[in-house]
Amino acid sequence: NLKLITTLNKGLKLAKGKYIARLDADDIAEKTRLQEQVDFMEANPKVGLSGTWYTAFGTKNSTVKNPAQNQDIRYMALYQCPIIHPSTIFRTSVIRDNNLSYNMDYPHAEDYELWCRFSEVSELANIPSVLLKYRLHETNISKLENPTQAANTIRIKTELFERVGVAVTTEELKLFERLNHHVVDFNASDLAQLGEFLTKLVLANNTSTYLEPAYLSQLLKRKWR
């Protein structure tokens, strides 16, 4: 038993196909998943990694529709993981050409961290179709290893904001996450701090262009309203 990250990296090295697809043992792929993803990747050569929408079942039932387009995915990565791991398909050439692998330093958030580095070398996408059934239960890693996962998720977000050009505090991360999860109970102090942070974010992005400046400016204006 090499544990998850080492095993994932071993799989990346051993894989010989044009594409590498992921699925966990306790989840269910829809019958057309691989065909639809291969067709999508063949039609979109700039995309090096794609995921899908999914239905969660078990302890809670819901359908999750993560953003489909590259810019929206890059934005979502600033506040949460934008692609669910067991739905992904990679272009093997992007993995090999850029020496990409899962980082051992980010246990239980290794997928999220890899997506952020993947986004530096190719476009990302989610196919807007439910092609995965994701099983929720009391022994999910996100439950058993929640403190480790939470700490590494904060590290990833902080590092991603540094790529944008923003030094972010834990409180600013919380405010930004609340904004994007449509929380509306901000007090005056929260709004003042959030407004300063969003202004700082727009100005930094104008230089770094992590996101298209016009895209980010218009998006944040809508969210602020």
Side-chain angles (χ1 to χ4, degrees), residues 26-40:
D26 54 352
D27 299 327
I28 301 169
E30 296 291 354
K31 292 181 180 179
T32 62
R33 176 202 159 181
L34 290 178
Q35 184 65 64
E36 289 192 43
Q37 283 192 290
V38 169
D39 289 346
F40 177 84

Side-chain angles (χ1 to χ4, degrees), residues 212-225:
E212 295 173 2
Y215 163 89
L216 181 62
S217 179
Q218 292 301 315
L219 176 64
L220 292 182
K221 283 179 181 177
R222 291 197 301 272
K223 288 181 177 290
W224 181 252
R225 284 199 297 271

Side-chain angles (χ1 to χ4, degrees), residues 123-162:
E123 293 185 6
L124 309 182
N126 279 305
I127 296 176
S129 180
V130 176
L131 297 176
L132 174 75
K133 293 179 181 177
Y134 180 67
R135 191 185 308 269
L136 294 176
H137 48 80
E138 293 305 317
T139 56
N140 281 110
I141 288 295
S142 58
K143 286 185 175 291
L144 296 178
E145 303 289 349
N146 187 262
T148 300
Q149 186 178 63
N152 282 327
T153 295
I154 290 173
R155 285 177 62 201
I156 293 165
K157 293 175 187 176
T158 301
E159 291 165 359
L160 198 54
F161 272 107
E162 288 175 355

